[in-house]
Amino acid sequence: MQKKIFIKTLGCQMNEYDSNRIYDSVKRLGFEKSKDQNNLDCYILNTCHIRDKAKEKVYHEIGRVKKLYKKKNKPIVVVAGCVAQAENQEMLKREPYIDIVIGPQAYHMINDKLKNFIKDNKIEETEFDAVSKFNYFDNIENKNNKVSSYLTIQEGCDKFCSFCVVPYTRGPEYSRPFDKIISEAESLIKNGVKEIILLGQNVNAYSFKNKIKEYRISDLINKLDSYEDLQRIRYTTSHPRDMTDDLIECYSISKKLMPLVHLPIQSGSNKILKIMNRKHTVEKYLEIYEKLLKANQKVEFSSDFIIAYPGETENDFNETLSLVKKIKFINSFSFIFSPRPGTKAANLEQIDKEIAKERLLKIQEYLFKFQLNKNKSFINKSVDVLVENKLDGQRKLFGRNQYMNSVIFEGNKNFIGKNLNIKIENVNQNSLFGKIEKNNMRAA
Ligand code: SAM
Ligand code: SF4
Ligand code: F3S
């Protein structure tokens, strides 16, 4: 009989990719993906450690599962992801309901750990072994057949920004072999995937050398461009330091690379960037911005901001605001600085909470305004939409335009996976609403 497994995924796109790959792996042990959390043989929580209360969220979630199984046999409870890596043994001590703790670079061992799990014999596995992990998964087909799929090409980080846990939870930068990525992409395309989103903590730091040459992310984009059945290419998250000219050039030559560049800057003040150890300046960022616009006028930008970083004065904050007004980012993430244990910035003196909140609201006022303005600019225009799925219980379809905006419109589910021209009638801050254009030749 098939055993039931459910993975709850918190955090970034990389965790989503990992959870899907874990499903691909445990299938070999006879586990079947289940949505019913009340009758499971195995429950996995894939965790994120990036901001505050991450640890508490995990214990809260495990407490919830414990309640569900009060009167029943418990499933094997696994904590995976970045909190697992950061907390390791501590988790097993604090919450005996957890059976296995496994870090992100040890997922190749998940089947062995589950197969050999014996009740009351707790397991902790937090080795950094990216090479073995990717070698293992290279031999297991990526079964994803959604319209849009993630594909991890690079993992880990050597940059050590003073605020960030990622170098400690994901380990050193590792780039997968070029041909392995391409064969995974080919199998996704064969499964019906129409959009591939290349992933990495520093995705544009991708660098793989063999006897012939050094491959960069631009080589991956150029190669993917040649697959007829693939319609769109995106990548995330990039770092300004690795935004090289060959990648910028892709924006003028690639037919499939989407024109939204997510390029985190964090702050518009050089003083703050320096104490953050970001290794780039505002001027360098603006230079990249200009080059990208020159390569392709359709390019728009989104970014990440950390507000009220220790030492941020009103003047520093205003510099960030000026940058936001200059670039008019169309979609961004902004959070108040959250001190993370083990990082350099953890013990710095924090900005008063009220001031921090005020600054966050102020920057979001501008970020949201520019986002809405961009959305409004689509009204009465025809936009190119890749249809991803049908909305639950409705006759509506969901897709995305080139800038990642959600687009909602009425239509038949046969359109899923197709590119349609949608005439936009209405917008709000997050979504565009419209109708299928009458002469939609592209749908044929
Ligand atoms: N590698 C990417 C880069 O360098 O821009 C970012 C990856 S990180 C997973 C995603 C975002 O989380 C960062 O861009 C940053 O804005 C935010 N972040 C990381 N640590 C944070 C902290 N301690 N407090 C608040 N935000 C944080
Ligand atoms: Fe974190 Fe900085 Fe690495 Fe991005 S570059 S993952 S923010 S340490
Ligand atoms: Fe979170 Fe780890 Fe991603 S800390 S943002 S899940 S790399």
Side-chain angles (χ1 to χ4, degrees):
M1 206 179 68
Q2 290 276 6
K3 291 172 281 179
K4 306 278 182 204
I5 187 165
F6 173 79
I7 309 181
K8 177 156 181 166
T9 309
L10 310 172
C12 65
Q13 297 98 330
M14 199 162 272
N15 269 7
E16 260 185 64
Y17 174 84
D18 290 344
S19 292
N20 280 331
R21 298 302 277 142
I22 292 173
Y23 277 130
D24 289 335
S25 172
V26 297
K27 218 176 240 170
R28 293 184 161 189
L29 291 181
F31 279 102
E32 181 184 64
K33 198 173 179 173
S34 170
K35 280 186 185 156
D36 176 11
Q37 291 190 46
N38 289 293
N39 290 298
L40 295 173
D41 298 287
C42 179
Y43 171 87
I44 302 185
L45 182 62
N46 196 357
T47 60
C48 172
H49 199 47
I50 203 81
R51 275 177 291 271
D52 54 13
K53 305 202 180 84
K55 217 170 30 171
E56 296 318 308
K57 254 190 232 160
V58 174
Y59 292 113
H60 185 264
E61 187 56 29
I62 299 298
R64 187 185 65 81
V65 175
K66 204 167 161 179
K67 265 194 204 150
L68 288 181
Y69 286 86
K70 228 176 192 169
K71 294 188 184 131
K72 294 184 278 192
N73 280 343
K74 82 187 277 288
I76 304 175
V77 173
V78 182
V79 177
C82 291
V83 180
Q85 186 68 41
E87 292 290 306
N88 50 65
Q89 289 284 351
E90 282 307 306
M91 308 205 87
L92 297 174
K93 283 191 212 141
R94 177 164 160 189
E95 179 48 275
Y97 202 71
I98 302 172
D99 297 306
I100 300 174
V101 170
I102 188 160
Q105 303 300 21
Y107 294 154
H108 52 295
M109 289 185 254
I110 188 92
N111 280 20
D112 273 351
K113 301 296 170 197
L114 289 175
K115 202 165 56 191
N116 300 321
F117 177 74
I118 303 165
K119 202 168 170 284
D120 297 330
N121 216 345
K122 306 284 169 187
I123 298 173
E124 182 258 351
E125 189 54 76
T126 47
E127 281 290 296
F128 283 135
D129 192 358
V131 178
S132 305
K133 180 179 81 168
F134 284 110
N135 281 344
Y136 172 81
F137 281 103
D138 283 341
N139 292 315
I140 299 179
E141 195 195 345
N142 186 336
K143 294 274 191 196
N144 198 349
N145 60 359
K146 288 195 179 150
V147 172
S148 173
S149 174
Y150 295 125
L151 202 183
T152 294
I153 64 166
Q154 177 279 343
E155 207 171 330
C157 179
D158 295 337
K159 297 203 168 57
F160 290 90
C161 299
S162 317
F163 51 82
C164 185
V165 290
V166 171
Y168 309 98
T169 63
R170 293 275 169 171
E173 274 176 19
Y174 170 77
S175 294
R176 294 179 64 192
F178 181 82
D179 58 329
K180 302 289 180 198
I181 297 170
I182 293 302
S183 45
E184 190 170 334
E186 283 174 354
S187 96
L188 289 171
I189 297 166
K190 197 181 76 208
N191 293 351
V193 166
K194 302 288 178 203
E195 173 180 271
I196 290 183
I197 308 179
L198 303 174
L199 289 185
Q201 265 91 30
N202 282 280
V203 74
N204 55 343
Y206 175 81
S207 160
F208 176 77
K209 274 193 204 118
N210 64 12
K211 280 183 198 144
I212 306 166
K213 66 177 262 183
E214 180 192 354
Y215 293 89
R216 308 269 308 147
I217 188 172
S218 53
D219 296 299
L220 285 166
I221 294 169
N222 292 336
K223 176 77 184 163
L224 290 180
D225 227 40
S226 66
Y227 290 91
E228 208 179 307
D229 290 335
L230 185 70
Q231 295 176 5
R232 291 179 169 189
I233 306 165
R234 302 183 191 270
Y235 62 87
T236 195
T237 300
S238 46
H239 191 288
R241 219 183 140 190
D242 299 309
M243 206 73 204
T244 47
D245 288 343
D246 53 324
L247 176 54
I248 293 174
E249 201 192 2
C250 289
Y251 286 88
S252 51
I253 55 177
S254 166
K255 289 183 215 71
K256 296 177 181 170
L257 181 62
M258 292 294 104
L260 176 68
V261 182
H262 182 67
L263 193 59
I265 182 150
Q266 317 296 354
S267 169
S269 150
N270 280 336
K271 182 192 97 187
I272 297 296
L273 289 177
K274 189 147 199 234
I275 49 180
M276 282 177 164
N277 192 30
R278 281 294 288 179
K279 303 187 176 85
H280 62 81
T281 58
V282 176
E283 290 72 24
K284 172 77 190 159
Y285 191 92
L286 288 171
E287 189 186 310
I288 298 166
Y289 163 78
E290 300 289 348
K291 278 188 186 174
L292 279 160
L293 279 180
K294 210 165 155 195
N296 183 343
Q297 282 180 351
K298 281 173 73 186
V299 165
E300 296 277 3
F301 295 79
S302 66
S303 197
D304 293 350
F305 296 91
I306 298 182
I307 305 304
Y309 194 73
E312 183 189 83
T313 60
E314 205 57 35
N315 190 39
D316 296 319
F317 174 67
N318 284 333
E319 288 186 354
T320 306
L321 266 188
S322 306
L323 184 89
V324 167
K325 289 181 201 165
K326 179 174 171 56
I327 298 196
K328 298 190 176 62
F329 297 97
I330 64 162
N331 187 3
S332 293
F333 298 96
S334 48
F335 290 97
I336 292 174
F337 166 69
S338 167
R340 309 307 294 130
T343 62
K344 269 199 171 160
N347 300 320
L348 299 177
E349 195 185 330
Q350 286 196 59
I351 305 273
D352 176 83
K353 279 203 172 95
E354 287 310 308
I355 296 179
K357 270 191 214 156
E358 258 172 48
R359 287 183 189 169
L360 182 69
L361 285 177
K362 183 108 191 235
I363 198 153
Q364 289 184 341
E365 188 191 311
Y366 283 95
L367 291 172
F368 296 161
K369 185 177 89 181
F370 293 133
Q371 188 173 350
L372 184 61
N373 284 352
K374 176 72 188 173
N375 290 357
K376 281 183 180 164
S377 74
F378 293 119
I379 293 180
N380 290 329
K381 297 216 173 91
S382 183
V383 299
D384 177 16
V385 173
L386 176 61
V387 187
E388 294 194 17
N389 50 43
K390 191 173 167 292
L391 291 183
D392 279 347
Q394 300 181 41
R395 285 196 63 236
K396 298 227 159 77
L397 296 174
F398 167 90
R400 290 188 187 276
N401 69 353
Q402 297 191 331
Y403 299 102
M404 279 294 262
N405 293 109
S406 312
V407 184
I408 294 162
F409 54 96
E410 247 174 54
N412 177 309
K413 70 177 188 335
N414 294 337
F415 286 130
I416 294 173
K418 301 261 174 16
N419 250 314
L420 294 184
N421 294 323
I422 304 293
K423 176 91 175 278
I424 301 304
E425 297 175 326
N426 237 316
V427 301
N428 63 25
Q429 195 190 303
N430 297 314
S431 310
L432 317 178
F433 305 87
K435 263 195 193 144
I436 300 179
E437 290 267 28
K438 284 217 176 71
N439 296 328
N440 219 315
M441 296 308 291
R442 307 188 58 163

